[in-house]
Amino acid sequence: MRFAAVLNQDGGTLRTIDIQAFSDQLRQILEAAGHSVQIEIVAGRDIAAALEKAIAKRRVDVILAGGGDGTISTAASLLMNKKKALAILPAGTMNLFARGLGIPQTLEAALKSFADGEVIAVDMASANGRPFVHQFSVGMHAKMVQLREAMDFGSRLGKMRASIRAAWATIKNPPALKVSLTVGKAEIVTRTSGIGISNNLFGEGHLPYADNPAGGVLGIYVSVARRRHHLAKLLLDMLRGRLRQSAHVEVHQAGKAVLKIHSPTRKFSAVLDGELIRLERETTIEIHPGALKVLVPARNAQAQAA
């Protein structure tokens, strides 16, 4: 296959390594397996333009994106409904979409898996037409991200520590949104501390990512927790992959959902694949089956086919 690799030198764990030495290793691994590769190393501010340029090249089969979660989400959005495939270097903090695809969580192991990988089609979702690969959320998650982004952290470990501090601050003073949520023919009207809508249902027994990235449904999670200890238990249930057993969340699934905010939207933001965005009064979230081609380890492609 013909690869075009775009590496964000400011993104995720790539900013903590010798990126030139890593790009040499990337080239050696792929060329030893008979592939060709073009590599571009860019600053974070230039990542979208570099990805667009790589995607526009005719003689390219796979776009290999390296960086944090924002880089991967941008690459997936640009490749939605395109013929070229996406290869994901798991350089973010949690790498939840990559985990769902079965991509090894170290950079070298991921590269080796691409050498004999196979292309499959997986789902994407969108919120008011804006694509995402993992989750759209409002309420607690958005407040946690806002608080975390106001903190100083210079590493993956530092970001995780900041996330814990932000989570605790949010639990002590949780948001409360009055919303209506239309799922199929049913309308849910409630006051909630948070709603998460994922690209396919989260699996059980692990971090929140989809076991089946081509399941064709949105996972819809509505928090019914009110007290601090219930909110803490809900967060723990999410991290342990026990949301479906949790007494503090309602779980739904659908191909489409419409979220209407009845609280003042100027008080709140939303999170799309980990990035803060403006929360609109009404948001339509939809699943797009098979909208993204991805390069995954051969064993994972075989499991999907089975």
Side-chain angles (χ1 to χ4, degrees):
M1 291 183 286
R2 297 165 295 189
F3 286 77
V6 179
L7 306 180
N8 181 352
Q9 64 186 14
D10 302 321
T13 56
L14 293 184
R15 63 183 175 183
T16 67
I17 65 173
D18 182 339
I19 198 166
Q20 188 59 59
F22 174 73
S23 67
D24 292 341
Q25 181 185 36
L26 185 160
R27 184 182 302 279
Q28 291 169 6
I29 290 174
L30 292 181
E31 290 184 349
H35 307 294
S36 63
V37 60
Q38 306 168 41
I39 303 172
E40 187 170 6
I41 301 170
V42 299
R45 64 180 179 274
D46 300 321
I47 194 68
L51 286 166
E52 289 177 345
K53 181 180 176 182
I55 292 168
K57 294 178 179 178
R58 289 187 178 182
R59 298 182 62 80
V60 168
D61 304 305
V62 180
I63 304 298
L64 192 156
D69 296 335
T71 297
I72 303 309
S73 183
T74 298
S77 298
L78 292 170
L79 285 165
M80 185 176 181
N81 295 320
K82 298 287 198 305
K83 293 182 179 180
K84 293 180 174 65
L86 172 64
I88 300 171
L89 277 176
T93 304
M94 302 294 282
N95 305 310
L96 295 171
F97 186 51
R99 289 176 188 270
L101 298 174
I103 295 171
Q105 292 300 293
T106 65
L107 298 179
E108 183 177 357
L111 289 177
K112 290 179 178 177
S113 77
F114 297 149
D116 61 352
E118 296 182 25
V119 174
I120 63 171
V122 298
D123 304 337
M124 290 188 68
S126 65
N128 282 354
R130 185 168 177 172
F132 64 94
V133 293
H134 179 58
Q135 182 177 251
F136 167 87
S137 56
V138 298
M140 283 191 64
H141 186 203
K143 184 172 181 178
M144 287 167 57
V145 172
Q146 283 180 310
L147 291 173
R148 185 191 67 202
E149 294 305 303
M151 300 176 186
D152 291 326
F153 53 86
S155 66
R156 180 177 179 179
L157 182 59
K159 186 175 182 180
M160 293 174 70
R161 289 172 175 165
S163 295
I164 293 171
R165 295 198 300 271
W168 177 239
T170 302
I171 288 170
K172 289 194 295 182
N173 185 24
L177 291 86
K178 185 177 180 181
V179 305
S180 59
L181 181 66
T182 303
V183 181
K185 296 182 179 180
E187 184 179 42
I188 304 165
V189 180
T190 187
R191 184 175 291 275
T192 181
S193 57
I195 294 176
I197 301 180
S198 61
N199 176 25
N200 286 296
L201 285 161
F202 293 148
E204 294 288 291
H206 53 63
L207 290 169
Y209 60 82
D211 285 338
N212 182 5
V217 295
L218 300 169
I220 302 165
Y221 305 89
V222 183
S223 168
V224 295
R226 296 290 186 270
R227 299 181 179 180
R228 287 183 184 179
H229 65 285
H230 290 161
L231 291 166
K233 181 64 166 58
L234 174 57
L235 181 60
L236 183 61
D237 287 339
M238 181 190 69
L239 293 174
R240 296 169 63 191
R242 299 183 63 180
L243 280 176
R244 295 184 199 179
Q245 289 80 42
S246 176
H248 308 300
V249 65
E250 294 178 357
V251 182
H252 308 272
Q253 63 182 55
K256 178 179 178 181
V258 179
L259 176 66
K260 295 181 181 179
I261 308 296
H262 302 294
S263 301
T265 53
R266 65 181 181 276
K267 293 175 59 179
F268 302 102
S269 298
V271 174
L272 194 80
D273 282 349
E275 302 291 326
L276 285 169
I277 63 170
R278 177 177 170 271
L279 177 59
E280 299 184 40
R281 179 68 63 185
E282 181 174 326
T283 305
T284 299
I285 303 97
E286 299 179 87
I287 195 81
H288 302 276
L292 179 67
K293 293 180 174 62
V294 290
L295 183 66
V296 299
R299 63 183 182 279
N300 295 82
Q302 293 163 6
Q304 286 290 325

